[in-house]
Every structure is written in structure tokens, then in C-alpha cells.
Amino acid sequence: MPSPSPLCAASCSTALRAPPPLLRFRRPAAPVSASVSRAAPAVSDDLVLRIAEQLEDSVTSSSPLLDPLRSASALSLLSTPWPTRRSGDAFRFTDISYLRSFPISLPSRAPDLAPPSSPFPSHVLFSDGLLVSASGAHVSALADLPPGRARDRAAAALAASAEFADKDLFYDFNAVGARDVVVVHVPEGVKVADDPVHIMFTYTDCGAESMLMSNPRVLVVAEKEAEVAIVEEHFGAGEQGGCYWANPVVEIVIDAGARVVHSYVQRQSFAAAHTKWTVVQQDVSSKYEFVEVSTGAKLNRHNLHIQQLGPETETELSSIHLTSQNKQIHDLHSKLILDHPRGVSRQLHKCIACAAGNSIFDGNIKVNRFAQQTDAGQETKCLILSPKALVNVKPNLQIIADDVRCTHGAAISGELDPNELFYFQARGISAETATDALLYFFGAHVIKRIPFKPINEKALAQFKELLASSRQTTTEALLS
């Protein structure tokens, strides 16, 4: 890996190469709630403590509204070991040892790079986890929120985040290391779903000596009967992107009757690590529509956690993962909790595994006792295009209610449908062209659900390009 440029080196703090002689990880002074205030045993994993200490030391100032969350996560990290494939089901199929390959460093300032352009008037730019700009009528940095409704809702949401029971190590790292939070607050009755908030996350590296870690955080609050669209893009800056660790968190609060349309495109550098949390809370009669397109990163782990908090709530999830590189890992862990009557959910997950890639899907839908008359569907379709590729899928419906309509299905295939190939060939189209077309439309079925043309056209073009390049990668994997 090339040595860092002076510009990049100037934007990175010195990497920690050895554990400090004394434990310096301090618990923040802000009070924590009763549920997290109990004493925590010391953790035996020095790496967790060293990273937590670096994150704490890197945040010299932040909004006091973040203190309850930072305190709770700091306390949690004291008793959280580094996850391994033997430590439980959550990482049984996901090898995250790549994160231990380099010492961790943290950005001291945003790199001086030309900002990417956005086709939308409301847009946000994070660079290496640091907020560079936020523009839009309903967009603000947490520290800049004046006293009022938006600030009160943000404070309540962040305080509730401190109580999040299903979090993991990466969620806590973000909470301790986040410098600021972008707040998208849409007041009651305001509908801006046709004018999305475009949130761009750019990342750089520090060269071969360390892995630069970023912890951006976004909070979206859609009040009663409001509508908003969020477009989230993650990508490496420069032609190659480089080696770095992106660890973002996006939290979405959807009030009664509100609607959030969420598009998420992850096209990181193929040397990067990407560990992401998306946490959604839906109130009565609300609607959440989510589309994910993930093609980048050497290690990609997405935790998607959704809870329906009222009756007649709708959740629609669509995702496509493409592992086009050797030893590339893509992991989607989703959890949908239904606690109230007449909830509706639909989940479609697709993946294409090429070369020596590894794709994981663990989808859990829990229909609890009072969620009667629930209509829940889950489907996963996977294509394995190389003998060295690997796919692990675990669709899971946990049903306690007795008056429900719930379905799920999983299909894993090592080849395309021969009838569909024959249809093309009978019309004079070569087998190679037919294969390319079928693979393209396999992913395009999900990508075209992104409702904004500039974003889905760009995602489709990159998806097509990666499919073409995966042929060479697959050939190299077979010969190795």
C-alpha cells in the first residue's frame, strides 16, 4: 500500500501501536440511567479498551445532549469483548479479524478535498466522520440547534439511544467517538419526500501504517403526518479509496402517520471496512421504506434494527449485495420486532457471490403476542457464481401471536434459470450476453426501487461495471 500523502498524514492522528502501561479509559462524568448504572466487570480484551480510550481522547468537545449516550456506551465498553466467530451467533459466519490487521488512528481534521456535488438542494457532507457542511431547511448540526421543538426531540431521542438493548461493540464505539450529530427534523404535517436530504459520507486513508476510523452519526425525526426522504451514500475519496474503517450510525424516529423513504448506497473502497447500524422506531400507522445497494468494502457489516411501536404500521425492506472481489465479506443482520396488531412488513434480500466472496444474511422477524393480524413476508434469493464463493442465509420468523399471516422463503442457486437462458438463445442472443442481462436485472429489480433517478442510475452503472469485472476476478480465484 502506498505511503500517505502529506495532506492525508496531516489529517490523521498518530496510530497507537502498543497498549498503554496504565488504563486511561475514563467514564464520562454525566449521569447515566438506572438500567446502565450498575457496575460493569473489567474487560479482558485490551484492544477494545485501547480503541475506546483513543475515541474518548479524540473528542475534546461535544454537545451536552450527547453526554447520556456517551456515558452509557463508555460503561458498556468496559465489559464488551471483541466479537469472534466463536463468541455467539451474531458473528458466527462473519470474520472481522481484518479490523485487527492495522493499528487504529483517528482524524484530527477533515482532509482538504474538493467536496462532491449533490443533485439535491438539501445535502450533508461528512468527511472522515467529521461534519463539513449541512444545508437544508430541516437539517442542522446538533450543536447548532437553538432551544425549541427540534432540540427537545433530538435530546429525547439521544437519551433513549442510551437504553438501546440490542447494540453491539460498533454501536458503542460510534457513541463514544462521534464528534457531532446531524439532525434531520421534519415538523408535523410537513411533506418533503420529493425533495430528499442527500447525506454523503466520504472517507480517506492514512497510508500503510494504520487504519483511519470514522464515526459519523445521523438522527432523523419525522413528526406526526410528516414525510421525508433520506439518500445515504458512502464512498472512498480518490480513485482507489484506500484502507480505512467507516463506523456510521443512523437513527430514525417516525411518529404516528409519518413516512420515511430511505435509500442507502454503499460503494466503499475494496480495502475498507464498513460496520454500520441503522435503528428505526415506527409509531402507529407510520411507514418506512428502505432500499440498500451494497457493493464495496472488503468487510461490510450492516445491522438493521426496526421496531414497530403501534398498530397498522408498514415496513418495506429491499436489499442487494454484490461480492465481486476475492475474500470480500458482505453481512446483513436485520431484526424487525412487531408488538402491535395489524402490522405489515415485506422484506426482499438478494445477493450475488462471485470469486471467493462471502455473503451473509441473518434476517429475524419477531411477531410478539399482541401483534395479531400481522401480515409479514420475508424472501431471500442468492446466486453463487463461483465454486469458491460462499453464502450463508438464515431467514427466521419467530411467531408468538396466533392470528397472523407470515411467510418466508430462501432460494440459493449456483446457476441461472436454464429456461430463461434458453429464451434468450432461441432469439439469437449468445449465452454470454444472456447471462449478463439476467444478472443485471437480478440486481436492477432492487436498485430501481430507489425513487431518485440520479442515484439509481449511478448505482445501476456501477453495478453493471462490477458484474463485468467480476468475470476476471472469478477466473483468478479459480486459478489460485
Side-chain angles (χ1 to χ4, degrees):
M1 190 173 294
S3 60
S5 66
L7 173 61
C8 184
S11 68
C12 306
S13 61
T14 303
L16 187 60
R17 298 181 176 280
L22 297 175
L23 175 64
R24 296 191 295 116
F25 184 46
R26 299 171 296 279
R27 301 184 189 183
V32 297
S33 63
S35 64
V36 296
S37 61
R38 59 184 180 274
V43 69
S44 59
D45 194 321
D46 290 339
L47 178 60
V48 174
L49 285 178
R50 295 190 338 246
I51 295 176
E53 182 181 291
Q54 283 183 275
L55 292 171
E56 186 182 56
D57 289 345
S58 71
V59 182
T60 55
S61 63
S62 64
S63 170
L65 300 183
L66 275 171
D67 288 348
L69 176 60
R70 287 171 54 81
S71 298
S73 288
L75 184 62
S76 178
L77 286 172
L78 293 173
S79 59
T80 304
W82 186 268
T84 68
R85 298 182 68 176
R86 296 182 179 181
S87 59
D89 287 342
F91 290 89
R92 192 171 87 175
F93 302 114
T94 311
D95 181 5
I96 63 169
S97 59
Y98 181 60
L99 295 175
R100 306 180 73 118
S101 301
F102 303 92
I104 301 302
S105 60
L106 299 171
S108 58
R109 62 179 179 84
D112 188 15
L113 300 173
S117 60
S118 172
F120 308 108
S122 296
H123 53 268
V124 176
L125 175 61
F126 282 97
S127 185
D128 290 339
L130 305 177
L131 180 59
V132 176
S133 63
S135 175
H138 307 289
V139 180
S140 177
L142 179 65
D144 296 334
L145 282 175
R149 176 73 175 172
R151 182 181 174 87
D152 292 344
R153 288 302 306 270
L158 292 169
S161 299
E163 307 285 348
F164 183 43
D166 291 309
K167 63 184 180 178
D168 67 359
L169 179 79
F170 305 127
Y171 185 95
D172 284 330
F173 277 160
N174 179 281
V176 173
R179 309 284 183 92
D180 202 349
V181 179
V182 163
V183 179
V184 180
H185 175 260
V186 184
E188 180 177 340
V190 175
K191 301 183 185 300
V192 288
D194 294 331
D195 182 19
V197 178
H198 186 197
I199 308 177
M200 298 169 286
F201 301 80
T202 66
Y203 305 93
T204 59
D205 71 345
C206 279
E209 296 185 352
S210 66
M211 179 180 285
L212 185 65
M213 183 183 185
S214 303
N215 294 281
R217 195 177 190 98
V218 175
L219 171 64
V220 179
V221 178
E223 293 198 339
K224 184 178 180 180
E225 302 294 336
E227 292 187 5
V228 63
I230 305 295
V231 175
E232 200 183 334
E233 279 194 288
H234 298 258
F235 49 89
E239 294 183 1
Q240 301 299 323
C243 174
Y244 52 83
W245 179 3
N247 186 45
V249 170
V250 175
E251 294 183 297
I252 302 175
V253 179
I254 311 175
D255 286 354
R259 173 174 173 250
V260 172
V261 179
H262 185 189
S263 304
Y264 163 54
V265 179
Q266 186 273 111
R267 49 187 180 91
Q268 301 280 25
S269 158
F270 291 123
H274 186 82
T275 54
K276 181 181 189 293
W277 268 94
T278 302
V279 182
V280 183
Q281 293 185 340
Q282 295 184 249
D283 210 335
V284 54
S285 300
S286 64
K287 188 169 185 179
Y288 177 63
E289 303 168 39
F290 174 75
V291 181
E292 174 183 355
V293 181
S294 286
T295 58
K298 183 180 180 68
L299 169 64
N300 173 47
R301 164 79 174 216
H302 184 198
N303 291 288
L304 175 61
H305 186 282
I306 303 167
Q307 187 167 10
Q308 293 187 353
L309 301 176
E312 300 176 354
T313 305
E314 297 181 40
T315 306
E316 185 173 344
L317 312 174
S318 306
S319 57
I320 175 70
H321 284 206
L322 171 63
T323 57
S324 61
Q325 307 296 308
N326 286 330
K327 299 182 180 180
Q328 188 178 13
I329 299 174
H330 274 206
D331 179 2
L332 173 61
H333 266 61
S334 66
K335 186 173 185 179
L336 173 60
I337 304 172
L338 298 93
D339 284 315
H340 299 270
R342 299 178 298 281
V344 177
S345 72
R346 294 286 182 269
Q347 182 174 23
L348 172 64
H349 171 263
K350 289 187 171 186
C351 77
I352 301 176
C354 307
N358 182 10
S359 184
I360 302 106
F361 170 65
D362 189 323
N364 182 278
I365 299 177
K366 189 173 184 180
V367 184
N368 289 323
R369 178 175 300 176
F370 298 107
Q372 303 293 342
Q373 300 178 15
T374 287
D375 184 356
Q378 183 185 63
E379 184 179 17
T380 178
K381 297 182 177 181
C382 305
L383 285 174
I384 304 177
L385 302 184
S386 167
K388 290 194 174 184
L390 180 63
V391 167
N392 291 287
V393 296
K394 185 184 174 185
N396 185 6
L397 278 170
Q398 297 178 334
I399 305 171
I400 302 176
D402 54 13
D403 179 14
V404 298
R405 178 186 176 186
C406 297
T407 62
H408 73 149
I412 302 177
S413 177
E415 60 182 13
L416 294 168
D417 188 336
N419 292 326
E420 293 177 347
L421 287 172
F422 176 77
Y423 178 88
F424 277 87
Q425 291 177 288
R427 285 152 180 79
I429 300 173
S430 69
E432 182 176 334
T433 302
T435 298
D436 289 343
L438 290 172
L439 290 175
Y440 174 79
F441 285 108
F442 181 85
H445 177 235
V446 172
I447 299 173
K448 288 186 176 181
R449 296 186 181 188
I450 297 175
F452 304 104
K453 193 173 181 179
I455 303 300
N456 74 41
E457 284 185 344
K458 183 165 56 175
L460 282 169
Q462 193 209 24
F463 179 74
K464 185 176 182 180
E465 180 182 338
L466 288 175
L467 282 176
S469 66
S470 68
R471 289 183 179 274
Q472 178 64 31
T473 308
T474 298
T475 300
E476 292 173 355
L478 292 175
L479 295 175
S480 62

